[in-house]
Amino acid sequence: MDVKTLCLGLLSVRPACGYDLKKTFGTSFKHFFPAGYGSIYPALADLAAKGLVNCEEIPQVGKPDRKVYSITKAGERAFIDALNRTEPQHKLRSEFLAMIYFADLMDDNRLAEVLDDHVEQLRETVRYIEHQEMAGSKTAGASFVAGFGAVIAQAAAEYIESHRHMLTPAPESEPQEDALTNCKWAANG
Amino acid sequence: MDVKTLCLGLLSVRPACGYDLKKTFGTSFKHFFPAGYGSIYPALADLAAKGLVNCEEIPQVGKPDRKVYSITKAGERAFIDALNRTEPQHKLRSEFLAMIYFADLMDDNRLAEVLDDHVEQLRETVRYIEHQEMAGSKTAGASFVAGFGAVIAQAAAEYIESHRHMLTPAPESEPQEDALTNCKWAANG
DNA sequence: TTAGGCATGTAAAGTGTTACATGATTTG
DNA sequence: CAAATCATGTAACACTTTACATGCCTAA
């Protein structure tokens, strides 16, 4: 399932222009399937060429015509079809985790910064989803997906905070007395 | 950070051939940075051309020479440098979630199948990490990353199981009596 | 007056995925 | 006897990302 198919899906909910779709990809879809103009506009042109969507150009003053795309019957069929045929992949690509894998080669300050930033980003994601997405979700699917994002981000933030001590050799000030300090899996119930 | 840089990082741990690296990308790195031969072999050739790794060809019978790559001083510097400069992205691309977003357009059986399969896959990931990765992790970073993967997969599986009822209109047999059944965020503490 | 929102798109570069091509040895 | 493992690589294809190109309106 690519950006093109997802555009089709979003247009099955309501008509929209490329700019509108970009907003959706940049907010609701951001945490699991972000996309930019460079993918969206060609996708829309392609869908229109295949007769899966119609395009109505609405003249505007001071900006380009607003091209409002709406799904056709053929488009609806094609989307349902894609939904049933596509196998649901779920791929993470995390330079963050790759970096942490090599934490022992990193400068301590840099490591702390990377960890702090990532946790903050995750917490912001949780806040955003809980305030913006959950409130505004109309379909069950949208709510489920928003909730999923929030729960995962929350779990990730908690894991990082409760396990980051694993990554730093010693708390520098006092020499450790407790053997559990070095235990790899403490707090990993 | 691309596959090339990660190959360099893995070679900073120990010398290896392309085949060995593929195994790492397909096991330890699978849940956050998978890669295939098509990325790895060109990456190694490139690293060698830049003098960041050396290549020793070990003749074998019945199979191609084993090309064992080892990192050079320049390679070590380059990797540390990449570690400090690269900004740690963390991107999910989930056709699974995209699909679920449109759950109301899906056939009930298909939806159940997709959900079941994904949960099973997540549980398998947890099992794998706990049995294979956690036991064999040598560095703190490797352990941390393995634990992260297990915790997230676990949380995802639990979320799906406890919230999938949101996606199906009614439990078919008996008409629902409890108003909470339809509550969007039940069990979302 | 400056930043942000609205609104369209293209083109090149970068990367990864998949399929292809080969072939002996080992394990069940 | 079949399947998996070991071991190399290339080439085409697909797709996304990023930079570029344009320009008015509105709110702070």
Side-chain angles (χ1 to χ4, degrees), chain A residues 124-145:
Chain A
E124 208 172 297
T125 299
V126 174
R127 278 196 297 273
Y128 174 78
I129 294 177
E130 284 180 350
H131 290 71
Q132 306 302 314
E133 289 303 320
M134 284 176 170
S137 295
K138 315 101 220 149
T139 67
S143 297
F144 182 95
V145 168

Side-chain angles (χ1 to χ4, degrees), chain A residues 45-56:
Chain A
D46 221 66
L47 290 169
K50 285 184 177 130
L52 303 178
V53 299
N54 287 323
C55 175
E56 188 190 0

Side-chain angles (χ1 to χ4, degrees), chain B residues 52-75:
Chain B
L52 303 178
V53 299
N54 287 323
C55 175
E56 188 190 1
E57 288 189 47
I58 298 171
Q60 301 199 125
V61 282
K63 29 190 154 173
D65 294 353
R66 185 178 153 91
K67 293 189 173 179
V68 178
Y69 294 87
S70 46
I71 198 166
T72 62
K73 283 288 167 198

Side-chain angles (χ1 to χ4, degrees), chain A residues 53-115:
Chain A
V53 299
N54 287 323
C55 175
E56 188 190 0
E57 288 188 48
I58 297 171
Q60 300 199 127
V61 284
K63 28 191 154 174
D65 294 355
R66 185 178 155 90
K67 293 189 173 181
V68 177
Y69 295 86
S70 46
I71 198 167
T72 63
K73 283 287 166 196
E76 275 167 12
R77 276 194 300 272
F79 184 58
I80 300 289
D81 216 56
L83 232 35
N84 287 320
R85 279 186 214 293
T86 308
E87 59 175 318
Q89 300 269 295
H90 184 82
K91 279 184 189 169
L92 178 64
R93 186 195 170 91
S94 178
E95 307 183 353
F96 166 72
L97 290 174
M99 192 174 265
I100 300 304
Y101 186 93
F102 298 103
D104 52 333
L105 296 178
M106 285 174 75
D107 174 71
D108 281 355
N109 293 323
R110 163 74 170 157
L111 176 61
E113 184 193 297
V114 166
L115 256 17

Side-chain angles (χ1 to χ4, degrees), chain A residues 116-131 153-162:
Chain A
D116 289 342
D117 286 357
H118 196 69
V119 168
E120 178 47 37
Q121 211 176 291
L122 288 167
R123 296 219 184 280
E124 208 172 297
T125 299
V126 174
R127 278 196 297 273
Y128 174 78
I129 294 177
E130 284 180 350
H131 290 71
Q154 179 72 35
E158 276 164 19
Y159 177 86
I160 295 171
E161 300 242 293
S162 65

